[in-house]
Amino acid sequence: MTPLCAARVSRQTSFSRSTHPITHVSPQVSSRVPCAALRRTTQQVTAATSDEAPPAATSQSSLPAAEPGITVLGFVGTGIMGVPMAKNLIKAGYSVVVYNRDSAKCKPLEELGAQIASSPSEVASRATYTFAMLSDPAAALQVATGPNGIVSGLSAGKGYIDVSTIDVATSQLIAAAVRSSGASFLEAPVSGSKAPAEQGKLIFLTAGDQALFDAVSGPLASMGKAQYFLGEVGAGAKMKLVVNMLLGSLMTSFAEALALGGKVGLKPADVLEVVGLGAAAAPMFAVKGPAMVVRSYSPAFPLKHQQKDLRLVLELGASVDQALPMAAAANGLFLTALHEGHGDEDFSAVLEAVLTAKESQGMEGLVSQWLKAGGGSSKQ
């Protein structure tokens, strides 16, 4: 008989003596499964976190679980990611109230049964739990705390889940404002772009109030394939920036491989096939490669957002005195592509910057270019 074990398994990492729990919940896993399968899908690990004191958690020890057909959910920000995410909530049976400053972008959701609100505040006042997917830290802070913002519609018993990719300081500011209203807060940036959002296969990197994480596990499962609780506010933002630093660096290296292959006379199809069969194979290369070789960049993850994330990564690295030369070089190329007008195209359009770069630039030249352009300045 196959032994059964508890729903979570613990292990230790060696990055730091400072520890906080990280809970990974896979929506497909029941509370009792064979141990071997459980270790592949559900785990609790301990990892390093900042020594900075995060905003204090709310005193609410529990919140009602979101239930299809009963709980009203809010969704603010219906762009490339927000629309498919909200669609999956509607398909799962939740009542959904939506808002976007361009109300026309809410129409596809209205046709599926969503109700359109006139402001973020109205969304939060009508919903028990409100999600938001916004473009950058400034937008996230404005929508949460500005006039008619989400915070003004919150109260005790409600929760706000920010799934945007923002920096730690902004996330902590929003958390403090939300908690001052008596509501709970969860940062939950996602790993994944348009296609995973459409397929309900996002990965949620959450931190903040554990009670809210537990309460919205159903909606998160409707939109994603996995959800991690990483501890105090800021941990989710850090994890997302680490992931997107790697994503941006990988894409620039892949673009260079395609560019060099073309310059030396290799067939693009051969390059893609050989890379796909070897140790360097990656799902991103298989998905993006065919479109890149014909220089087509339909946006799944806009280049301007990848550059924003690299800027935030470099600021994070500077704050802990960690040199990130590869990320800085990648950011230089993304800045070039941005300045050349590719910001609204897919982030794979960084290939255009690679194709126009001079050999003499090299890494040092790109880092120099990044510094001249403002480095980690929020103006970029």
PDB file of all heavy atoms in Angstrom, residues 63-81:
ATOM      1  N   LEU A  63     -10.230  34.655   6.837  1.00  0.00           N
ATOM      2  CA  LEU A  63     -11.158  35.338   5.945  1.00  0.00           C
ATOM      3  C   LEU A  63     -11.983  34.273   5.242  1.00  0.00           C
ATOM      4  O   LEU A  63     -11.512  33.146   5.038  1.00  0.00           O
ATOM      5  CB  LEU A  63     -10.396  36.172   4.910  1.00  0.00           C
ATOM      6  CG  LEU A  63      -9.668  37.420   5.422  1.00  0.00           C
ATOM      7  CD1 LEU A  63      -8.702  37.927   4.348  1.00  0.00           C
ATOM      8  CD2 LEU A  63     -10.661  38.513   5.796  1.00  0.00           C
ATOM      9  N   PRO A  64     -13.205  34.586   4.835  1.00  0.00           N
ATOM     10  CA  PRO A  64     -14.025  33.581   4.153  1.00  0.00           C
ATOM     11  C   PRO A  64     -13.414  33.185   2.811  1.00  0.00           C
ATOM     12  O   PRO A  64     -12.936  34.036   2.064  1.00  0.00           O
ATOM     13  CB  PRO A  64     -15.372  34.280   3.972  1.00  0.00           C
ATOM     14  CG  PRO A  64     -15.061  35.741   4.043  1.00  0.00           C
ATOM     15  CD  PRO A  64     -13.920  35.863   5.005  1.00  0.00           C
ATOM     16  N   ALA A  65     -13.414  31.907   2.532  1.00  0.00           N
ATOM     17  CA  ALA A  65     -12.871  31.420   1.268  1.00  0.00           C
ATOM     18  C   ALA A  65     -13.744  31.890   0.111  1.00  0.00           C
ATOM     19  O   ALA A  65     -14.979  31.859   0.190  1.00  0.00           O
ATOM     20  CB  ALA A  65     -12.794  29.900   1.280  1.00  0.00           C
ATOM     21  N   ALA A  66     -13.110  32.347  -0.957  1.00  0.00           N
ATOM     22  CA  ALA A  66     -13.841  32.757  -2.146  1.00  0.00           C
ATOM     23  C   ALA A  66     -14.484  31.530  -2.784  1.00  0.00           C
ATOM     24  O   ALA A  66     -13.817  30.515  -2.997  1.00  0.00           O
ATOM     25  CB  ALA A  66     -12.904  33.431  -3.137  1.00  0.00           C
ATOM     26  N   GLU A  67     -15.779  31.642  -3.088  1.00  0.00           N
ATOM     27  CA  GLU A  67     -16.516  30.521  -3.656  1.00  0.00           C
ATOM     28  C   GLU A  67     -17.239  30.945  -4.922  1.00  0.00           C
ATOM     29  O   GLU A  67     -17.914  31.981  -4.949  1.00  0.00           O
ATOM     30  CB  GLU A  67     -17.527  29.978  -2.649  1.00  0.00           C
ATOM     31  CG  GLU A  67     -16.911  29.427  -1.379  1.00  0.00           C
ATOM     32  CD  GLU A  67     -17.966  28.842  -0.447  1.00  0.00           C
ATOM     33  OE1 GLU A  67     -18.961  28.288  -0.964  1.00  0.00           O
ATOM     34  OE2 GLU A  67     -17.806  28.956   0.770  1.00  0.00           O
ATOM     35  N   PRO A  68     -17.140  30.139  -5.987  1.00  0.00           N
ATOM     36  CA  PRO A  68     -17.870  30.442  -7.227  1.00  0.00           C
ATOM     37  C   PRO A  68     -19.370  30.537  -6.969  1.00  0.00           C
ATOM     38  O   PRO A  68     -19.923  29.749  -6.191  1.00  0.00           O
ATOM     39  CB  PRO A  68     -17.541  29.243  -8.131  1.00  0.00           C
ATOM     40  CG  PRO A  68     -16.241  28.712  -7.601  1.00  0.00           C
ATOM     41  CD  PRO A  68     -16.304  28.923  -6.120  1.00  0.00           C
ATOM     42  N   GLY A  69     -19.994  31.518  -7.596  1.00  0.00           N
ATOM     43  CA  GLY A  69     -21.424  31.686  -7.434  1.00  0.00           C
ATOM     44  C   GLY A  69     -21.830  32.428  -6.185  1.00  0.00           C
ATOM     45  O   GLY A  69     -23.006  32.771  -6.014  1.00  0.00           O
ATOM     46  N   ILE A  70     -20.882  32.670  -5.288  1.00  0.00           N
ATOM     47  CA  ILE A  70     -21.192  33.349  -4.023  1.00  0.00           C
ATOM     48  C   ILE A  70     -20.350  34.612  -3.871  1.00  0.00           C
ATOM     49  O   ILE A  70     -20.883  35.694  -3.611  1.00  0.00           O
ATOM     50  CB  ILE A  70     -20.945  32.401  -2.827  1.00  0.00           C
ATOM     51  CG1 ILE A  70     -21.885  31.191  -2.910  1.00  0.00           C
ATOM     52  CG2 ILE A  70     -21.127  33.154  -1.510  1.00  0.00           C
ATOM     53  CD1 ILE A  70     -21.623  30.151  -1.847  1.00  0.00           C
ATOM     54  N   THR A  71     -19.047  34.484  -4.035  1.00  0.00           N
ATOM     55  CA  THR A  71     -18.128  35.595  -3.798  1.00  0.00           C
ATOM     56  C   THR A  71     -18.011  36.498  -5.015  1.00  0.00           C
ATOM     57  O   THR A  71     -17.850  36.027  -6.136  1.00  0.00           O
ATOM     58  CB  THR A  71     -16.733  35.061  -3.447  1.00  0.00           C
ATOM     59  OG1 THR A  71     -16.838  34.136  -2.363  1.00  0.00           O
ATOM     60  CG2 THR A  71     -15.797  36.198  -3.062  1.00  0.00           C
ATOM     61  N   VAL A  72     -18.094  37.807  -4.773  1.00  0.00           N
ATOM     62  CA  VAL A  72     -17.867  38.791  -5.837  1.00  0.00           C
ATOM     63  C   VAL A  72     -16.385  39.166  -5.835  1.00  0.00           C
ATOM     64  O   VAL A  72     -15.835  39.558  -4.810  1.00  0.00           O
ATOM     65  CB  VAL A  72     -18.725  40.052  -5.633  1.00  0.00           C
ATOM     66  CG1 VAL A  72     -18.414  41.088  -6.719  1.00  0.00           C
ATOM     67  CG2 VAL A  72     -20.201  39.694  -5.655  1.00  0.00           C
ATOM     68  N   LEU A  73     -15.762  39.037  -6.992  1.00  0.00           N
ATOM     69  CA  LEU A  73     -14.357  39.395  -7.146  1.00  0.00           C
ATOM     70  C   LEU A  73     -14.238  40.638  -8.007  1.00  0.00           C
ATOM     71  O   LEU A  73     -15.027  40.849  -8.924  1.00  0.00           O
ATOM     72  CB  LEU A  73     -13.581  38.256  -7.800  1.00  0.00           C
ATOM     73  CG  LEU A  73     -13.592  36.908  -7.074  1.00  0.00           C
ATOM     74  CD1 LEU A  73     -12.836  35.871  -7.883  1.00  0.00           C
ATOM     75  CD2 LEU A  73     -12.997  37.033  -5.668  1.00  0.00           C
ATOM     76  N   GLY A  74     -13.240  41.462  -7.718  1.00  0.00           N
ATOM     77  CA  GLY A  74     -12.967  42.644  -8.529  1.00  0.00           C
ATOM     78  C   GLY A  74     -11.694  42.446  -9.327  1.00  0.00           C
ATOM     79  O   GLY A  74     -10.788  41.715  -8.897  1.00  0.00           O
ATOM     80  N   PHE A  75     -11.624  43.091 -10.489  1.00  0.00           N
ATOM     81  CA  PHE A  75     -10.395  43.049 -11.278  1.00  0.00           C
ATOM     82  C   PHE A  75     -10.182  44.406 -11.928  1.00  0.00           C
ATOM     83  O   PHE A  75     -11.029  44.872 -12.697  1.00  0.00           O
ATOM     84  CB  PHE A  75     -10.438  41.962 -12.361  1.00  0.00           C
ATOM     85  CG  PHE A  75      -9.083  41.436 -12.722  1.00  0.00           C
ATOM     86  CD1 PHE A  75      -8.657  40.196 -12.290  1.00  0.00           C
ATOM     87  CD2 PHE A  75      -8.186  42.215 -13.459  1.00  0.00           C
ATOM     88  CE1 PHE A  75      -7.385  39.722 -12.589  1.00  0.00           C
ATOM     89  CE2 PHE A  75      -6.929  41.761 -13.773  1.00  0.00           C
ATOM     90  CZ  PHE A  75      -6.519  40.510 -13.332  1.00  0.00           C
ATOM     91  N   VAL A  76      -9.053  45.032 -11.607  1.00  0.00           N
ATOM     92  CA  VAL A  76      -8.711  46.349 -12.132  1.00  0.00           C
ATOM     93  C   VAL A  76      -7.488  46.208 -13.038  1.00  0.00           C
ATOM     94  O   VAL A  76      -6.466  45.650 -12.633  1.00  0.00           O
ATOM     95  CB  VAL A  76      -8.398  47.337 -10.988  1.00  0.00           C
ATOM     96  CG1 VAL A  76      -7.949  48.682 -11.547  1.00  0.00           C
ATOM     97  CG2 VAL A  76      -9.623  47.511 -10.094  1.00  0.00           C
ATOM     98  N   GLY A  77      -7.601  46.712 -14.273  1.00  0.00           N
ATOM     99  CA  GLY A  77      -6.510  46.616 -15.240  1.00  0.00           C
ATOM    100  C   GLY A  77      -6.766  45.490 -16.218  1.00  0.00           C
ATOM    101  O   GLY A  77      -6.414  44.337 -15.963  1.00  0.00           O
ATOM    102  N   THR A  78      -7.415  45.814 -17.340  1.00  0.00           N
ATOM    103  CA  THR A  78      -7.815  44.772 -18.284  1.00  0.00           C
ATOM    104  C   THR A  78      -7.037  44.921 -19.597  1.00  0.00           C
ATOM    105  O   THR A  78      -7.593  45.241 -20.637  1.00  0.00           O
ATOM    106  CB  THR A  78      -9.330  44.812 -18.543  1.00  0.00           C
ATOM    107  OG1 THR A  78      -9.719  46.133 -18.952  1.00  0.00           O
ATOM    108  CG2 THR A  78     -10.093  44.455 -17.281  1.00  0.00           C
ATOM    109  N   GLY A  79      -5.736  44.681 -19.500  1.00  0.00           N
ATOM    110  CA  GLY A  79      -4.868  44.735 -20.667  1.00  0.00           C
ATOM    111  C   GLY A  79      -4.527  43.348 -21.166  1.00  0.00           C
ATOM    112  O   GLY A  79      -5.333  42.417 -21.061  1.00  0.00           O
ATOM    113  N   ILE A  80      -3.317  43.202 -21.697  1.00  0.00           N
ATOM    114  CA  ILE A  80      -2.888  41.924 -22.270  1.00  0.00           C
ATOM    115  C   ILE A  80      -3.013  40.776 -21.269  1.00  0.00           C
ATOM    116  O   ILE A  80      -3.422  39.664 -21.627  1.00  0.00           O
ATOM    117  CB  ILE A  80      -1.431  42.028 -22.770  1.00  0.00           C
ATOM    118  CG1 ILE A  80      -1.354  42.936 -24.002  1.00  0.00           C
ATOM    119  CG2 ILE A  80      -0.858  40.657 -23.099  1.00  0.00           C
ATOM    120  CD1 ILE A  80       0.054  43.209 -24.497  1.00  0.00           C
ATOM    121  N   MET A  81      -2.676  41.014 -20.017  1.00  0.00           N
ATOM    122  CA  MET A  81      -2.743  39.983 -18.995  1.00  0.00           C
ATOM    123  C   MET A  81      -4.073  39.986 -18.254  1.00  0.00           C
ATOM    124  O   MET A  81      -4.631  38.930 -17.944  1.00  0.00           O
ATOM    125  CB  MET A  81      -1.600  40.172 -17.998  1.00  0.00           C
ATOM    126  CG  MET A  81      -0.216  40.013 -18.586  1.00  0.00           C
ATOM    127  SD  MET A  81       0.136  38.311 -19.061  1.00  0.00           S
ATOM    128  CE  MET A  81       0.308  37.554 -17.453  1.00  0.00           C
TER     129      MET A  81
END
